[in-house]
Coordinates of all heavy atoms in Angstrom, one line a residue:
M32 N -21.9 -4.2 6.8 CA -21.1 -5.3 7.0 C -19.7 -4.9 7.4 O -19.2 -4.0 6.8 CB -21.1 -6.2 5.8 CG -20.2 -7.4 5.8 SD -20.2 -8.2 4.3 CE -20.2 -9.9 4.9
T33 N -19.1 -5.6 8.4 CA -17.8 -5.3 8.8 C -17.0 -6.6 9.0 O -17.5 -7.6 9.2 CB -17.8 -4.5 10.1 OG1 -18.5 -5.2 11.1 CG2 -18.4 -3.1 10.0
A34 N -15.7 -6.4 9.0 CA -14.8 -7.6 9.3 C -13.7 -7.1 10.3 O -13.4 -6.0 10.4 CB -14.1 -8.0 8.0
N35 N -13.3 -8.1 11.1 CA -12.3 -7.7 12.1 C -10.9 -7.7 11.5 O -10.5 -8.6 10.8 CB -12.4 -8.8 13.2 CG -11.7 -8.3 14.5 OD1 -10.8 -7.5 14.4 ND2 -12.2 -8.8 15.6
N36 N -10.1 -6.7 11.8 CA -8.8 -6.5 11.3 C -7.9 -6.1 12.5 O -7.8 -4.9 12.9 CB -8.8 -5.4 10.2 CG -7.4 -5.1 9.7 OD1 -6.5 -6.0 9.8 ND2 -7.2 -4.0 9.1
N37 N -7.2 -7.1 13.1 CA -6.4 -6.8 14.3 C -7.1 -6.0 15.4 O -6.5 -5.1 15.9 CB -5.1 -6.1 13.8 CG -4.2 -6.9 12.9 OD1 -4.2 -8.1 13.0 ND2 -3.6 -6.3 12.0
G38 N -8.3 -6.4 15.7 CA -9.0 -5.8 16.8 C -9.7 -4.5 16.3 O -10.4 -3.9 17.1
R39 N -9.6 -4.1 15.1 CA -10.3 -2.9 14.6 C -11.2 -3.3 13.5 O -10.9 -4.2 12.7 CB -9.2 -2.0 14.0 CG -9.8 -0.6 13.5 CD -8.7 0.2 12.9 NE -8.4 -0.1 11.5 CZ -9.1 0.2 10.4 NH1 -10.2 0.9 10.6 NH2 -8.7 -0.1 9.2
L40 N -12.4 -2.8 13.6 CA -13.4 -3.2 12.6 C -13.2 -2.4 11.3 O -13.0 -1.2 11.3 CB -14.8 -2.9 13.1 CG -15.3 -3.8 14.3 CD1 -16.7 -3.4 14.7 CD2 -15.3 -5.2 13.9
L41 N -13.3 -3.1 10.1 CA -13.2 -2.4 8.9 C -14.5 -1.7 8.6 O -15.6 -2.3 8.8 CB -12.9 -3.4 7.7 CG -11.5 -4.0 7.8 CD1 -11.4 -5.1 6.7 CD2 -10.4 -3.1 7.6
T42 N -14.4 -0.5 8.0 CA -15.7 0.1 7.5 C -16.1 -0.6 6.2 O -15.3 -1.4 5.6 CB -15.4 1.6 7.2 OG1 -14.5 1.7 6.1 CG2 -14.9 2.3 8.4
D43 N -17.3 -0.4 5.8 CA -17.8 -1.0 4.6 C -16.9 -0.6 3.4 O -16.6 -1.4 2.5 CB -19.3 -0.6 4.3 CG -20.2 -1.3 5.2 OD1 -19.9 -2.3 5.9 OD2 -21.4 -0.8 5.3
S44 N -16.5 0.6 3.4 CA -15.7 1.1 2.3 C -14.3 0.4 2.3 O -13.8 0.0 1.2 CB -15.4 2.6 2.4 OG -14.6 3.1 1.4
E45 N -13.7 0.2 3.4 CA -12.4 -0.5 3.5 C -12.6 -1.9 3.1 O -11.7 -2.5 2.4 CB -11.9 -0.4 5.0 CG -11.4 1.0 5.3 CD -11.1 1.1 6.8 OE1 -11.7 0.4 7.7 OE2 -10.1 1.9 7.1
L46 N -13.6 -2.6 3.6 CA -13.9 -4.0 3.2 C -14.1 -4.1 1.7 O -13.5 -5.0 1.1 CB -15.1 -4.5 4.0 CG -15.5 -6.0 3.7 CD1 -14.3 -6.9 4.0 CD2 -16.7 -6.3 4.5
N47 N -14.9 -3.2 1.1 CA -15.1 -3.3 -0.3 C -13.8 -3.1 -1.1 O -13.5 -3.7 -2.1 CB -16.1 -2.2 -0.8 CG -17.5 -2.6 -0.4 OD1 -17.8 -3.8 -0.2 ND2 -18.4 -1.7 -0.2
E48 N -12.9 -2.1 -0.6 CA -11.6 -1.9 -1.3 C -10.8 -3.1 -1.2 O -10.1 -3.5 -2.1 CB -10.9 -0.7 -0.7 CG -9.7 -0.4 -1.5 CD -9.1 1.0 -1.2 OE1 -9.8 1.8 -0.7 OE2 -7.9 1.2 -1.5
F49 N -10.7 -3.8 0.0 CA -9.9 -5.0 0.2 C -10.4 -6.1 -0.8 O -9.5 -6.7 -1.4 CB -10.1 -5.5 1.6 CG -9.5 -6.8 1.9 CD1 -8.1 -7.0 2.0 CD2 -10.3 -7.9 1.9 CE1 -7.5 -8.2 2.1 CE2 -9.7 -9.2 2.1 CZ -8.3 -9.3 2.2
L50 N -11.7 -6.3 -0.9 CA -12.2 -7.3 -1.8 C -11.9 -7.0 -3.2 O -11.5 -7.9 -4.0 CB -13.7 -7.5 -1.5 CG -14.1 -8.1 -0.2 CD1 -15.6 -8.1 0.0 CD2 -13.5 -9.5 0.0
T51 N -12.0 -5.8 -3.6 CA -11.6 -5.4 -5.0 C -10.2 -5.6 -5.3 O -9.8 -6.2 -6.3 CB -11.9 -3.9 -5.2 OG1 -13.3 -3.7 -5.0 CG2 -11.5 -3.4 -6.6
E52 N -9.3 -5.2 -4.3 CA -7.8 -5.4 -4.5 C -7.5 -6.9 -4.5 O -6.6 -7.3 -5.3 CB -7.1 -4.6 -3.5 CG -7.1 -3.1 -3.6 CD -6.4 -2.4 -2.5 OE1 -6.0 -3.0 -1.5 OE2 -6.3 -1.2 -2.6
A53 N -8.2 -7.7 -3.7 CA -7.8 -9.1 -3.6 C -8.1 -9.8 -5.0 O -7.4 -10.8 -5.3 CB -8.7 -9.8 -2.5
G54 N -9.0 -9.3 -5.8 CA -9.3 -9.9 -7.1 C -8.4 -9.4 -8.2 O -8.6 -9.8 -9.4
M55 N -7.5 -8.5 -7.9 CA -6.7 -7.9 -9.0 C -5.5 -8.8 -9.3 O -4.9 -9.4 -8.5 CB -6.2 -6.5 -8.6 CG -7.2 -5.5 -8.5 SD -6.5 -3.9 -7.9 CE -7.9 -2.9 -7.9
T56 N -5.0 -8.7 -10.6 CA -3.7 -9.3 -10.9 C -2.6 -8.4 -10.2 O -2.9 -7.3 -9.8 CB -3.5 -9.3 -12.4 OG1 -3.4 -7.9 -12.9 CG2 -4.6 -10.0 -13.2
S57 N -1.5 -9.0 -10.1 CA -0.4 -8.2 -9.5 C -0.1 -6.9 -10.2 O 0.1 -5.9 -9.6 CB 0.9 -9.1 -9.4 OG 1.9 -8.4 -8.8
D58 N 0.0 -7.0 -11.5 CA 0.2 -5.7 -12.3 C -0.8 -4.7 -12.1 O -0.5 -3.5 -11.9 CB 0.4 -6.0 -13.8 CG 1.6 -6.8 -14.1 OD1 2.6 -6.8 -13.3 OD2 1.7 -7.4 -15.2
R59 N -2.1 -5.1 -12.1 CA -3.2 -4.2 -11.9 C -3.1 -3.6 -10.4 O -3.4 -2.5 -10.2 CB -4.5 -4.8 -12.2 CG -5.7 -4.0 -11.9 CD -5.8 -2.8 -12.9 NE -6.8 -1.9 -12.4 CZ -6.6 -0.6 -12.1 NH1 -5.4 -0.1 -12.1 NH2 -7.6 0.1 -11.7
Y60 N -2.8 -4.5 -9.5 CA -2.7 -4.1 -8.1 C -1.6 -3.0 -7.9 O -1.8 -2.0 -7.2 CB -2.4 -5.3 -7.2 CG -2.2 -4.9 -5.7 CD1 -3.4 -4.7 -4.9 CD2 -1.0 -4.9 -5.2 CE1 -3.2 -4.3 -3.6 CE2 -0.8 -4.6 -3.8 CZ -1.9 -4.3 -3.1 OH -1.8 -3.9 -1.7
Q61 N -0.5 -3.3 -8.6 CA 0.6 -2.3 -8.5 C 0.2 -0.9 -9.1 O 0.5 0.1 -8.5 CB 1.9 -2.8 -9.2 CG 2.5 -4.0 -8.6 CD 3.1 -3.6 -7.2 OE1 3.8 -2.6 -7.1 NE2 2.9 -4.4 -6.2
E62 N -0.5 -0.9 -10.2 CA -0.9 0.3 -10.8 C -2.0 1.0 -9.9 O -1.9 2.2 -9.7 CB -1.6 0.0 -12.2 CG -2.1 1.3 -12.8 CD -1.1 2.4 -13.1 OE1 0.1 2.1 -13.1 OE2 -1.5 3.5 -13.2
H63 N -2.8 0.2 -9.3 CA -3.8 0.8 -8.3 C -3.1 1.4 -7.1 O -3.5 2.5 -6.7 CB -4.7 -0.4 -7.9 CG -5.8 0.0 -6.9 ND1 -6.9 0.8 -7.2 CD2 -5.9 -0.3 -5.6 CE1 -7.6 0.9 -6.2 NE2 -7.1 0.3 -5.2
Q64 N -2.1 0.7 -6.6 CA -1.4 1.3 -5.5 C -0.6 2.6 -5.9 O -0.6 3.5 -5.1 CB -0.4 0.2 -4.9 CG -1.1 -0.9 -4.2 CD -2.1 -0.5 -3.1 OE1 -3.2 -0.3 -3.3 NE2 -1.6 -0.5 -1.9
R65 N 0.0 2.6 -7.1 CA 0.7 3.8 -7.5 C -0.3 5.0 -7.6 O 0.0 6.1 -7.2 CB 1.3 3.6 -8.9 CG 2.3 4.7 -9.3 CD 2.6 4.7 -10.7 NE 1.5 4.7 -11.6 CZ 0.8 5.8 -11.9 NH1 1.0 6.9 -11.3 NH2 -0.2 5.7 -12.8
Q66 N -1.5 4.7 -8.1 CA -2.5 5.8 -8.2 C -2.9 6.3 -6.8 O -3.0 7.5 -6.6 CB -3.7 5.3 -9.0 CG -3.5 5.1 -10.4 CD -4.6 4.4 -11.1 OE1 -5.6 4.0 -10.5 NE2 -4.5 4.2 -12.4
K67 N -3.1 5.3 -5.9 CA -3.4 5.7 -4.5 C -2.2 6.5 -3.9 O -2.5 7.5 -3.1 CB -3.7 4.5 -3.7 CG -5.0 3.8 -4.0 CD -5.2 2.5 -3.2 CE -5.3 2.7 -1.8 NZ -5.7 1.4 -1.1
H68 N -1.0 6.2 -4.2 CA 0.2 6.9 -3.7 C 0.1 8.3 -4.2 O 0.3 9.3 -3.5 CB 1.4 6.2 -4.1 CG 2.7 6.9 -3.8 ND1 3.2 7.8 -4.7 CD2 3.4 7.0 -2.7 CE1 4.3 8.4 -4.2 NE2 4.4 7.9 -3.0
D69 N -0.1 8.5 -5.5 CA -0.1 9.8 -6.1 C -1.2 10.7 -5.5 O -1.0 11.8 -5.2 CB -0.3 9.7 -7.6 CG 0.9 9.1 -8.3 OD1 2.0 8.9 -7.7 OD2 0.8 8.8 -9.5
Q70 N -2.4 10.0 -5.2 CA -3.5 10.8 -4.6 C -3.1 11.2 -3.2 O -3.4 12.3 -2.8 CB -4.7 9.9 -4.6 CG -5.3 9.7 -5.9 CD -6.4 8.6 -5.9 OE1 -6.6 7.9 -4.9 NE2 -7.1 8.5 -7.1
A71 N -2.4 10.3 -2.5 CA -2.0 10.6 -1.1 C -1.0 11.8 -1.1 O -1.1 12.7 -0.3 CB -1.4 9.4 -0.4
I72 N -0.1 11.8 -2.0 CA 0.9 12.8 -2.1 C 0.2 14.2 -2.5 O 0.5 15.2 -1.9 CB 2.0 12.5 -3.2 CG1 2.9 11.3 -2.7 CG2 2.9 13.7 -3.5 CD1 3.7 11.6 -1.5
E73 N -0.7 14.1 -3.4 CA -1.4 15.3 -3.8 C -2.2 15.9 -2.7 O -2.3 17.1 -2.6 CB -2.3 15.0 -5.0 CG -1.6 14.8 -6.3 CD -2.5 14.4 -7.5 OE1 -3.7 14.4 -7.3 OE2 -1.9 14.0 -8.5
S74 N -2.7 15.1 -1.8 CA -3.5 15.6 -0.7 C -2.7 15.9 0.5 O -3.2 16.3 1.5 CB -4.6 14.5 -0.3 OG -4.0 13.4 0.3
G75 N -1.3 15.7 0.4 CA -0.4 16.0 1.5 C -0.4 15.0 2.6 O 0.1 15.2 3.7
N76 N -0.9 13.8 2.4 CA -0.9 12.7 3.4 C 0.3 11.8 3.2 O 0.2 10.7 2.6 CB -2.2 11.9 3.3 CG -2.5 11.0 4.4 OD1 -1.6 10.7 5.2 ND2 -3.7 10.7 4.6
A77 N 1.4 12.2 3.8 CA 2.7 11.4 3.7 C 2.5 10.0 4.3 O 3.1 9.1 3.8 CB 3.8 12.2 4.3
A78 N 1.8 9.9 5.4 CA 1.7 8.6 6.1 C 0.9 7.6 5.3 O 1.3 6.5 5.2 CB 0.9 8.8 7.5
K79 N -0.1 8.1 4.6 CA -0.9 7.2 3.7 C 0.0 6.8 2.5 O 0.0 5.7 2.1 CB -2.1 7.9 3.2 CG -2.9 7.0 2.2 CD -4.4 7.2 2.2 CE -5.0 6.3 1.2 NZ -5.8 5.3 1.8
A80 N 0.8 7.8 2.0 CA 1.7 7.5 0.9 C 2.7 6.4 1.2 O 2.9 5.5 0.5 CB 2.4 8.7 0.4
R81 N 3.3 6.5 2.4 CA 4.2 5.4 2.9 C 3.5 4.1 3.1 O 4.0 3.0 2.7 CB 4.9 5.8 4.2 CG 6.0 6.8 4.0 CD 6.9 6.9 5.3 NE 6.1 7.2 6.5 CZ 5.7 8.4 6.9 NH1 6.0 9.5 6.1 NH2 5.0 8.6 8.0
D82 N 2.2 4.1 3.5 CA 1.5 2.9 3.7 C 1.2 2.2 2.4 O 1.4 1.0 2.2 CB 0.1 3.2 4.4 CG -0.7 1.9 4.6 OD1 -0.2 1.0 5.3 OD2 -1.8 1.8 4.0
V83 N 1.0 3.0 1.4 CA 0.7 2.5 0.0 C 2.0 1.9 -0.6 O 2.0 0.8 -1.2 CB 0.2 3.5 -0.9 CG1 0.1 3.1 -2.4 CG2 -1.2 4.0 -0.5
I84 N 3.1 2.5 -0.3 CA 4.4 2.0 -0.8 C 4.7 0.7 -0.1 O 5.1 -0.3 -0.7 CB 5.6 3.0 -0.5 CG1 5.4 4.2 -1.4 CG2 6.9 2.3 -0.7 CD1 6.4 5.4 -1.0
W85 N 4.4 0.6 1.2 CA 4.6 -0.6 2.0 C 3.8 -1.8 1.4 O 4.3 -2.9 1.2 CB 4.1 -0.4 3.4 CG 4.1 -1.6 4.3 CD1 3.1 -2.5 4.4 CD2 5.1 -1.9 5.2 NE1 3.5 -3.5 5.3 CE2 4.7 -3.1 5.9 CE3 6.3 -1.3 5.6 CZ2 5.5 -3.7 6.8 CZ3 7.1 -2.0 6.6 CH2 6.7 -3.2 7.2
R86 N 2.5 -1.5 1.0 CA 1.7 -2.5 0.5 C 2.2 -3.0 -0.9 O 2.2 -4.2 -1.2 CB 0.2 -2.0 0.3 CG -0.5 -1.8 1.6 CD -1.8 -1.1 1.4 NE -2.4 -0.7 2.7 CZ -3.3 -1.3 3.3 NH1 -3.9 -2.4 2.7 NH2 -3.8 -0.9 4.4
A87 N 2.6 -2.1 -1.7 CA 3.1 -2.4 -3.1 C 4.4 -3.2 -3.0 O 4.6 -4.2 -3.7 CB 3.2 -1.2 -3.9
A88 N 5.3 -2.7 -2.1 CA 6.6 -3.4 -1.9 C 6.4 -4.8 -1.3 O 7.1 -5.7 -1.7 CB 7.5 -2.6 -1.0
S89 N 5.4 -4.9 -0.4 CA 5.2 -6.3 0.2 C 4.7 -7.2 -0.9 O 5.0 -8.4 -0.9 CB 4.1 -6.2 1.3 OG 4.7 -5.5 2.4
D90 N 3.8 -6.7 -1.8 CA 3.3 -7.5 -2.9 C 4.4 -8.0 -3.8 O 4.3 -9.1 -4.3 CB 2.3 -6.7 -3.7 CG 1.7 -7.5 -4.8 OD1 1.0 -8.5 -4.6 OD2 1.9 -7.0 -6.0
K91 N 5.4 -7.2 -3.9 CA 6.6 -7.6 -4.8 C 7.7 -8.3 -4.0 O 8.8 -8.5 -4.5 CB 7.1 -6.4 -5.5 CG 6.2 -5.8 -6.6 CD 6.1 -6.7 -7.7 CE 5.4 -6.1 -8.9 NZ 5.3 -7.0 -10.0
N92 N 7.5 -8.6 -2.7 CA 8.5 -9.2 -1.9 C 9.7 -8.4 -1.8 O 10.8 -8.9 -1.8 CB 8.8 -10.6 -2.3 CG 7.6 -11.5 -2.2 OD1 6.9 -11.5 -1.2 ND2 7.3 -12.3 -3.2
L93 N 9.6 -7.1 -1.7 CA 10.8 -6.2 -1.6 C 11.0 -5.8 -0.2 O 12.0 -5.0 0.1 CB 10.5 -4.9 -2.4 CG 10.4 -5.1 -3.9 CD1 10.0 -3.8 -4.6 CD2 11.6 -5.7 -4.5
I94 N 10.2 -6.2 0.7 CA 10.3 -5.8 2.1 C 10.2 -7.0 3.0 O 9.4 -7.9 2.8 CB 9.3 -4.7 2.4 CG1 9.6 -4.0 3.7 CG2 7.9 -5.2 2.4 CD1 8.8 -2.7 3.9
N95 N 10.9 -7.0 4.1 CA 10.8 -8.1 5.1 C 10.1 -7.4 6.3 O 10.7 -6.6 7.0 CB 12.2 -8.6 5.5 CG 12.1 -9.7 6.5 OD1 11.3 -9.7 7.4 ND2 13.0 -10.7 6.4
E96 N 8.9 -7.7 6.5 CA 8.1 -7.0 7.5 C 8.6 -7.3 8.9 O 8.5 -6.4 9.8 CB 6.6 -7.5 7.4 CG 6.0 -7.0 6.1 CD 4.6 -7.5 5.9 OE1 3.9 -7.9 6.8 OE2 4.1 -7.5 4.7
A97 N 9.2 -8.4 9.2 CA 9.8 -8.7 10.5 C 11.0 -7.8 10.8 O 11.1 -7.4 11.9 CB 10.2 -10.2 10.6
R98 N 11.7 -7.5 9.8 CA 12.9 -6.6 10.0 C 12.6 -5.2 9.8 O 13.4 -4.3 10.3 CB 14.0 -7.1 9.0 CG 14.8 -8.3 9.5 CD 16.0 -8.5 8.6 NE 15.7 -9.7 7.8 CZ 16.2 -9.9 6.6 NH1 17.0 -9.1 6.0 NH2 15.9 -11.0 6.0
E99 N 11.6 -4.9 9.1 CA 11.2 -3.5 8.9 C 9.8 -3.2 9.2 O 8.9 -3.1 8.4 CB 11.4 -3.1 7.4 CG 12.8 -3.2 6.9 CD 12.9 -2.9 5.4 OE1 12.8 -3.8 4.6 OE2 13.2 -1.7 5.1
P100 N 9.5 -3.1 10.5 CA 8.1 -2.9 10.9 C 7.5 -1.5 10.5 O 6.3 -1.3 10.4 CB 8.1 -3.0 12.4 CG 9.5 -2.7 12.8 CD 10.4 -3.1 11.6
E101 N 8.4 -0.5 10.2 CA 7.9 0.8 9.8 C 8.9 1.3 8.7 O 10.1 0.9 8.7 CB 7.9 1.8 10.9 CG 6.9 1.5 12.0 CD 6.8 2.5 13.0 OE1 7.1 3.7 12.7 OE2 6.5 2.2 14.2
L102 N 8.4 2.2 7.8 CA 9.2 2.7 6.8 C 9.7 4.1 7.1 O 8.9 5.0 7.5 CB 8.5 2.8 5.4 CG 8.1 1.5 4.7 CD1 7.4 1.8 3.4 CD2 9.3 0.7 4.5
T103 N 11.0 4.3 7.0 CA 11.5 5.7 7.1 C 11.3 6.4 5.7 O 11.0 5.7 4.7 CB 13.0 5.7 7.4 OG1 13.7 5.1 6.3 CG2 13.3 5.0 8.7
E104 N 11.4 7.7 5.7 CA 11.3 8.4 4.4 C 12.3 7.9 3.4 O 12.0 7.7 2.2 CB 11.4 9.9 4.6 CG 10.2 10.5 5.3 CD 9.0 10.5 4.5 OE1 9.0 10.6 3.2 OE2 7.9 10.3 5.1
D105 N 13.6 7.7 3.9 CA 14.6 7.2 3.0 C 14.3 5.8 2.4 O 14.5 5.6 1.2 CB 16.0 7.2 3.7 CG 16.5 8.6 3.9 OD1 16.1 9.6 3.3 OD2 17.4 8.7 4.8
R106 N 13.9 4.9 3.3 CA 13.6 3.6 2.9 C 12.4 3.6 1.9 O 12.3 2.9 0.9 CB 13.3 2.7 4.1 CG 13.0 1.2 3.7 CD 14.2 0.5 3.1 NE 13.9 -0.9 2.9 CZ 14.1 -1.5 1.8 NH1 14.6 -0.9 0.7 NH2 13.7 -2.8 1.7
A107 N 11.4 4.4 2.2 CA 10.2 4.5 1.3 C 10.6 5.0 -0.1 O 10.2 4.5 -1.1 CB 9.2 5.5 1.9
A108 N 11.6 6.0 -0.1 CA 12.0 6.5 -1.4 C 12.8 5.4 -2.2 O 12.6 5.3 -3.4 CB 12.9 7.7 -1.2
A109 N 13.6 4.6 -1.5 CA 14.3 3.5 -2.1 C 13.4 2.5 -2.7 O 13.5 2.0 -3.8 CB 15.3 2.9 -1.1
L110 N 12.3 2.1 -1.9 CA 11.3 1.1 -2.4 C 10.6 1.7 -3.6 O 10.3 1.0 -4.5 CB 10.4 0.8 -1.3 CG 11.0 -0.1 -0.2 CD1 10.1 -0.2 1.0 CD2 11.3 -1.5 -0.7
K111 N 10.2 3.0 -3.5 CA 9.5 3.6 -4.6 C 10.3 3.5 -5.9 O 9.8 3.2 -7.0 CB 9.3 5.1 -4.2 CG 8.2 5.8 -4.9 CD 7.9 7.1 -4.3 CE 7.7 8.2 -5.3 NZ 7.4 9.5 -4.7
S112 N 11.6 3.7 -5.8 CA 12.5 3.6 -6.9 C 12.5 2.1 -7.5 O 12.4 1.9 -8.7 CB 13.9 4.0 -6.6 OG 14.8 3.9 -7.6
K113 N 12.6 1.2 -6.5 CA 12.6 -0.2 -7.0 C 11.3 -0.6 -7.6 O 11.2 -1.5 -8.5 CB 12.8 -1.1 -5.8 CG 14.3 -1.2 -5.3 CD 14.4 -2.2 -4.2 CE 15.9 -2.2 -3.8 NZ 16.1 -3.2 -2.7
L114 N 10.2 0.0 -7.2 CA 8.9 -0.2 -7.8 C 8.8 0.5 -9.2 O 7.8 0.2 -9.9 CB 7.8 0.3 -6.9 CG 7.6 -0.5 -5.6 CD1 6.7 0.2 -4.7 CD2 7.0 -1.9 -5.9
G115 N 9.7 1.4 -9.5 CA 9.6 2.1 -10.7 C 8.7 3.3 -10.7 O 8.3 3.8 -11.8
W116 N 8.4 3.8 -9.5 CA 7.5 4.9 -9.4 C 8.3 6.2 -9.4 O 9.5 6.2 -8.9 CB 6.7 4.9 -8.1 CG 5.8 3.7 -8.0 CD1 5.6 2.7 -8.9 CD2 5.0 3.4 -6.9 NE1 4.7 1.8 -8.4 CE2 4.3 2.2 -7.2 CE3 4.7 4.0 -5.7 CZ2 3.4 1.6 -6.3 CZ3 3.8 3.4 -4.8 CH2 3.2 2.2 -5.1
K117 N 7.7 7.3 -9.8 CA 8.4 8.6 -9.8 C 8.5 9.1 -8.4 O 7.8 8.9 -7.6 CB 7.6 9.6 -10.7 CG 7.6 9.2 -12.1 CD 6.8 10.3 -12.8 CE 6.6 9.9 -14.3 NZ 5.8 10.8 -15.0

């Protein structure tokens, strides 16, 4: 099963993760995103780590997507601090 995401098909794994996250409380979602961030950092995937920060910050309304279409390293670090992440 797949779903369309801006012209790109989601894999079954991506779709399952989306549905799981959609059912989470905000606090649980934030913790889930922090764990995903830590995993991305441990694996050396800085782009994924920034994406996770973006998602968590968006959930907390800390980012204006129209004004900030991408995160710089400095902005990501500032958002990480606002989220209370190490």
